[in-house]
């Protein structure tokens, strides 16, 4: 029974050491990996909801409202039907999606044929 207890304590100590090493690794002052876009890669196109939040921000800013932007945007998004969403933001979404696809094709071509 004592051998079992010693074995459990040893595993516990080993786990504490591993966790400690992980925490120490997180606390180092080394710069974190930069997850920015690859050189020249275009930004992803906006979703309908992203466009809606931007429009709501403009509207609330014009009214001088102090309401929480994301609460207002979320509530109004839920109240809209799918048809209303597409009618209001579909054109902007389509244009941005076309821009993204065009820029991605140009970016891929530049990567294939570096000059």
């Amino acid at each position: 029974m004592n051998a079992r207890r010693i074995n459990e304590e040893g595993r516990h100590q080993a786990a504490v050491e591993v966790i400690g090493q992980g925490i120490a690794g997180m606390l180092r002052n080394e710069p974190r990996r930069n997850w920015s876009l690859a050189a020249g890669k275009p930004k992803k196109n906006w979703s309908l909801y992203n466009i809606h939040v931007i429009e709501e921000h403009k509207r609330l800013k014009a009214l001088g409202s102090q309401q929480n932007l994301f609460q207002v945007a979320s509530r109004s998004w839920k109240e809209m039907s799918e048809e209303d969403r597409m009618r209001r933001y579909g054109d902007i979404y389509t244009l941005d999606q076309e821009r993204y696809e065009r820029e991605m094709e140009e970016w891929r071509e530049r990567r294939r044929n570096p000059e």
Side-chain angles (χ1 to χ4, degrees), residues 74-96:
S74 175
R75 190 176 322 116
S76 62
W77 181 256
K78 289 176 186 175
E79 293 171 356
M80 273 193 266
S81 67
E82 187 66 32
E83 297 83 27
D84 193 30
R85 294 172 185 170
M86 285 304 293
R87 184 174 45 79
R88 292 177 73 177
Y89 307 118
D91 294 339
I92 298 169
Y93 174 77
T94 304
L95 289 173
D96 196 43

Side-chain angles (χ1 to χ4, degrees), residues 31-110:
R32 290 179 166 240
R33 180 177 175 170
N34 186 1
W35 291 100
S36 63
L37 295 174
K41 187 174 183 179
K43 290 186 176 181
K44 185 82 171 107
N45 60 309
W46 289 341
S47 68
L48 288 171
Y49 184 72
N50 293 131
I51 298 167
H52 173 70
V53 170
I54 292 167
E55 295 295 321
E56 284 294 305
H57 180 258
K58 290 178 187 175
R59 185 180 68 81
L60 290 175
K61 191 173 181 180
L63 294 173
S65 176
Q66 296 296 322
Q67 296 178 348
N68 184 329
L69 166 65
F70 295 105
Q71 287 179 348
V72 172
S74 175
R75 190 176 322 116
S76 62
W77 181 256
K78 289 176 186 175
E79 293 171 356
M80 273 193 266
S81 67
E82 187 66 32
E83 297 83 27
D84 193 30
R85 294 172 185 170
M86 285 304 293
R87 184 174 45 79
R88 292 177 73 177
Y89 307 118
D91 294 339
I92 298 169
Y93 174 77
T94 304
L95 289 173
D96 196 43
Q97 189 174 23
E98 290 170 357
R99 176 220 35 102
Y100 175 70
E101 290 170 0
R102 182 180 60 252
E103 289 179 1
M104 277 300 293
E105 187 57 39
E106 292 170 1
W107 181 74
R108 286 184 190 116
E109 190 63 34
R110 284 193 310 266

